[in-house]
Coordinates of all heavy atoms in Angstrom, one line a residue:
R812 N 19.2 -1.9 -4.3 CA 18.1 -1.1 -4.8 C 17.9 0.2 -4.1 O 17.7 1.2 -4.7 CB 16.8 -2.0 -4.7 CG 15.5 -1.3 -5.2 CD 14.3 -2.1 -4.9 NE 14.4 -3.4 -5.4 CZ 14.1 -3.7 -6.7 NH1 13.7 -2.7 -7.5 NH2 14.2 -4.9 -7.2
A846 N 21.6 -8.9 6.0 CA 21.0 -7.7 5.4 C 21.6 -6.4 6.0 O 21.9 -5.4 5.3 CB 19.5 -7.7 5.5
A852 N 27.8 -1.9 4.3 CA 28.8 -1.9 3.2 C 28.3 -1.0 2.0 O 29.0 -0.2 1.4 CB 29.1 -3.3 2.7
Y854 N 26.1 1.4 2.2 CA 26.1 2.9 2.6 C 27.5 3.5 2.4 O 27.7 4.6 1.9 CB 25.7 3.0 4.0 CG 25.9 4.3 4.7 CD1 25.3 5.4 4.3 CD2 26.9 4.4 5.7 CE1 25.6 6.7 4.9 CE2 27.1 5.6 6.4 CZ 26.5 6.7 5.9 OH 26.7 7.9 6.5
R942 N 2.9 -5.7 -15.0 CA 2.6 -4.8 -16.1 C 1.1 -4.4 -16.1 O 0.8 -3.3 -16.4 CB 3.1 -5.3 -17.4 CG 4.6 -5.5 -17.5 CD 5.0 -5.8 -18.9 NE 4.6 -4.8 -19.9 CZ 5.2 -3.6 -20.0 NH1 6.2 -3.3 -19.3 NH2 4.7 -2.7 -20.9
Q944 N -0.7 -4.2 -13.3 CA -0.9 -3.2 -12.3 C -0.3 -1.9 -12.7 O -0.8 -0.8 -12.3 CB -0.1 -3.7 -11.0 CG -0.8 -4.9 -10.3 CD -0.2 -5.2 -9.0 OE1 1.0 -5.4 -8.9 NE2 -1.0 -5.1 -7.9
N1049 N -5.8 -2.9 8.2 CA -7.0 -2.2 8.0 C -8.2 -2.6 8.9 O -9.0 -1.8 9.3 CB -7.4 -2.3 6.5 CG -6.6 -1.4 5.6 OD1 -7.0 -0.2 5.4 ND2 -5.5 -1.9 5.1
G1089 N -26.9 -16.3 -3.3 CA -27.7 -16.3 -4.6 C -28.0 -17.7 -5.1 O -29.1 -18.0 -5.6
A1230 N -24.1 -24.9 -9.1 CA -24.9 -24.0 -9.8 C -25.5 -24.7 -11.1 O -26.7 -24.5 -11.4 CB -24.1 -22.8 -10.3
F1257 N 1.2 -18.2 -14.8 CA 1.6 -17.5 -16.1 C 1.7 -16.0 -16.0 O 2.5 -15.4 -16.6 CB 0.6 -17.9 -17.2 CG 0.8 -19.4 -17.6 CD1 -0.3 -20.2 -17.6 CD2 2.0 -19.9 -18.0 CE1 -0.2 -21.6 -17.9 CE2 2.1 -21.2 -18.4 CZ 1.0 -22.0 -18.3
R1268 N 4.5 -6.2 -24.3 CA 5.2 -5.0 -24.5 C 5.7 -4.8 -26.0 O 5.5 -3.7 -26.6 CB 6.3 -4.8 -23.5 CG 7.1 -3.5 -23.7 CD 8.2 -3.4 -22.7 NE 9.0 -2.2 -22.8 CZ 10.0 -1.8 -22.1 NH1 10.4 -2.6 -21.1 NH2 10.6 -0.6 -22.3
H1279 N 7.7 4.9 -22.6 CA 7.9 5.6 -23.8 C 8.9 6.7 -23.7 O 9.8 6.9 -24.6 CB 6.6 6.1 -24.4 CG 6.7 6.8 -25.7 ND1 6.9 8.2 -25.8 CD2 6.7 6.3 -27.0 CE1 7.0 8.5 -27.1 NE2 6.8 7.4 -27.8
P1282 N 11.7 8.9 -17.4 CA 12.3 10.0 -16.7 C 13.8 9.8 -16.4 O 14.2 8.6 -16.2 CB 11.5 10.1 -15.4 CG 10.2 9.5 -15.8 CD 10.5 8.4 -16.7
G1305 N 32.5 -11.6 5.8 CA 33.2 -10.5 5.1 C 33.5 -9.3 6.0 O 34.4 -8.5 5.7
A1315 N 34.1 1.0 10.4 CA 32.9 1.8 10.2 C 31.8 1.2 11.0 O 30.9 1.9 11.6 CB 32.5 1.9 8.7
A1362 N 22.1 -9.5 17.8 CA 22.3 -8.8 19.1 C 23.8 -8.7 19.4 O 24.3 -7.6 19.8 CB 21.6 -9.6 20.2
V1370 N 31.2 -7.9 19.0 CA 32.0 -7.7 17.9 C 33.5 -8.0 18.1 O 34.2 -8.7 17.3 CB 31.9 -6.2 17.4 CG1 32.9 -5.9 16.2 CG2 30.5 -5.9 16.9

Side-chain angles (χ1 to χ4, degrees):
R812 178 187 303 278
Y854 166 66
R942 293 190 60 77
Q944 288 189 303
N1049 280 273
F1257 290 124
R1268 180 179 180 178
H1279 181 267
V1370 174

